[in-house]
Amino acid sequence: MKPVRALAAASAVFAALLSAVPAGATTPAGTAGTPSPAHVSGPASASGAHCRDYWFPVTTGPESKTVHREFGRLCTSDPAKLGKQPVQVLIHGGTYDHTYFDWPYRPERYNYVRYMTQRGFTTLSLDRLGYGHSDHPPSLALNFDTAAHTTHQIVRYLRGGALGPKFSTVVANGYSMGGLTAQVEAARYHDLDAVAVHAVGHGLLTPRSLLRLGTFVYPALLDPKFAGKPWALDPGYVTNLPGKRTLFHGPKGTYDPVQLRYEERLKDTMSVTELTDITLKSYTDLTKRIDVPVLWEPGRYDKIWCGTTDDCTTDPENAGEDRFYRPGVLTKYVVPNTGHGALLGYGGTDYLAGIVDWLAAKGIHGVR
């Protein structure tokens, strides 16, 4: 088959599998409606995979009647294997959106979606509520109970066949605030097969971490990137001050300086209520309720979560992380040669390989 005809055939299969809910499909119990194709402005996936964008209808809590749209990009290397492949739900952190996992700079090295789809996984990269293409409710509505609840609804959509195929194996991978989202979701709803987190842990309130976070942000309405956005008038939405993105990286020599230009161009916002909630949640033992394997992967030079020594191999927060989980649940791996944004440092390749190896050790393999 000629390349053009092969591409057309693959696209047709992908459209048939993803474009609509099949006749007779039902909305999973506890969800807010039916996902629909999303048509958004902005760049396509840098992964080179077959991708489709969706709106997921979600509510902020079990009693809420207001339905919001949460954006997600579903990607695979082979549309015919959707449902047969494990799906990884990718949850970004504060001041990022879904592009953290679908990074456009040197995607052959830094693009998580590319790496995982080439190894037989499906990925669903989300924009959490208040970020990216997703709806921006009042900032006071944004915390990790909300984020976990919306993620739970999306997991139900995946398992229930609302996108066509039913996904029987669902893994969450969360970065920073997204990692806390994944932890709360797994602890509360017990609907995941495994959880990987990086750049999140317990015991955030160190003096250096608080100082760094306190001098990192300012109101989004003051930033030219968000000028004209109605939600930016909400003072609870904040973003980083220009020139502060080095907070997410380790010392010089552990990252490509070009990353800083991409960081500033692609930055998003976060809410003050999330910043408050992340400090509170980092002092609970909610994670002891998680009953599936957890991979905890901080970047070695994480200036936020290992803010006592700025080195997660010596920091007391790292040393005490095990006590917040059930015996035998947690696997720890400190990613070398990178910082808080573990994927985007030079150690990102170790981070990627480590997740695939860990999933395989837990019996979760890609399907190619």
Side-chain angles (χ1 to χ4, degrees):
M1 184 179 290
K2 294 182 179 180
V4 173
R5 291 177 61 193
L7 179 60
S11 298
V13 171
F14 190 62
L17 286 169
L18 290 181
S19 62
V21 178
T26 58
T27 300
T31 54
T34 302
S36 59
H39 304 286
V40 297
S41 60
S45 172
S47 67
H50 299 272
C51 298
R52 183 87 178 198
D53 295 343
Y54 284 96
W55 297 123
F56 292 92
V58 296
T59 60
T60 56
E63 306 303 322
S64 175
K65 303 300 182 184
T66 302
V67 177
H68 299 281
R69 298 187 309 174
E70 186 161 335
F71 175 82
R73 177 166 288 169
L74 190 74
C75 297
T76 178
S77 62
D78 185 352
K81 290 187 170 62
L82 283 171
K84 302 180 180 70
Q85 296 175 333
V87 60
Q88 296 188 34
V89 180
L90 309 179
I91 313 169
H92 63 84
T95 72
Y96 289 97
D97 59 18
H98 72 278
T99 55
Y100 175 80
F101 289 100
D102 198 354
W103 201 246
Y105 176 61
R106 296 194 60 190
E108 75 284 356
R109 177 162 190 163
Y110 299 109
N111 191 289
Y112 188 101
V113 172
R114 175 187 172 94
Y115 189 94
M116 293 300 171
T117 55
Q118 288 181 347
R119 284 154 182 81
F121 294 90
T122 297
T123 62
L124 177 65
S125 309
L126 300 177
D127 282 348
R128 295 191 291 117
L129 281 189
Y131 294 82
H133 299 302
S134 293
D135 287 349
H136 286 65
S139 62
L140 287 175
L142 301 177
N143 56 47
F144 297 102
D145 298 317
T146 294
H149 182 68
T150 60
T151 304
H152 168 59
Q153 292 168 81
I154 291 169
V155 171
R156 281 180 170 265
Y157 287 130
L158 293 171
R159 291 196 181 277
L163 302 185
K166 292 184 177 181
F167 292 91
S168 59
T169 302
V170 182
V171 176
N173 184 7
Y175 161 60
S176 194
M177 288 183 172
L180 185 52
T181 299
Q183 289 172 333
V184 176
E185 203 281 347
R188 291 247 170 93
Y189 301 107
H190 305 283
D191 56 0
L192 298 168
D193 295 287
V195 178
V197 298
H198 65 285
V200 67
H202 291 81
L204 174 62
L205 295 177
T206 63
R208 294 174 75 183
S209 295
L210 285 175
L211 177 63
R212 286 163 173 167
L213 288 171
T215 58
F216 177 71
V217 299
Y218 73 144
L221 62 87
L222 300 179
D223 195 289
K225 178 173 181 178
F226 306 106
K229 303 288 187 183
W231 50 262
L233 297 175
D234 179 336
Y237 280 105
V238 296
T239 192
N240 68 274
L241 287 155
K244 290 287 188 175
R245 302 297 291 194
T246 54
L247 180 63
F248 294 137
H249 294 279
K252 289 182 179 180
T254 64
Y255 67 96
D256 185 338
V258 175
Q259 292 284 30
L260 296 178
R261 297 205 299 268
Y262 281 83
E263 290 263 12
E264 192 64 33
R265 179 167 64 86
L266 296 172
K267 73 178 181 182
D268 209 291
T269 59
M270 59 183 171
S271 74
V272 173
T273 50
E274 285 182 325
L275 277 174
T276 301
D277 200 31
I278 201 169
T279 58
L280 296 175
K281 289 281 193 311
S282 75
Y283 281 88
T284 72
D285 59 359
L286 182 66
T287 44
K288 286 186 177 179
R289 301 182 192 175
I290 299 176
D291 53 9
V292 295
V294 177
L295 175 64
W296 191 63
E297 286 190 298
R300 176 175 177 177
Y301 302 110
D302 191 324
K303 301 173 186 174
I304 298 175
W305 287 105
C306 294
T308 301
T309 66
D310 289 352
D311 185 337
C312 289
T313 63
T314 61
D315 198 272
E317 311 311 326
N318 176 16
E321 190 67 18
D322 301 72
R323 70 181 186 272
F324 292 97
Y325 292 88
R326 298 181 182 187
V329 165
L330 186 68
T331 300
K332 293 170 63 172
Y333 171 60
V334 177
V335 185
N337 210 29
T338 193
H340 184 71
L343 175 61
L344 304 182
Y346 288 143
T349 51
D350 296 291
Y351 160 75
L352 290 164
I355 290 176
V356 173
D357 290 345
W358 172 76
L359 287 171
K362 302 305 177 183
I364 301 174
H365 303 272
V367 177
R368 289 186 276 187

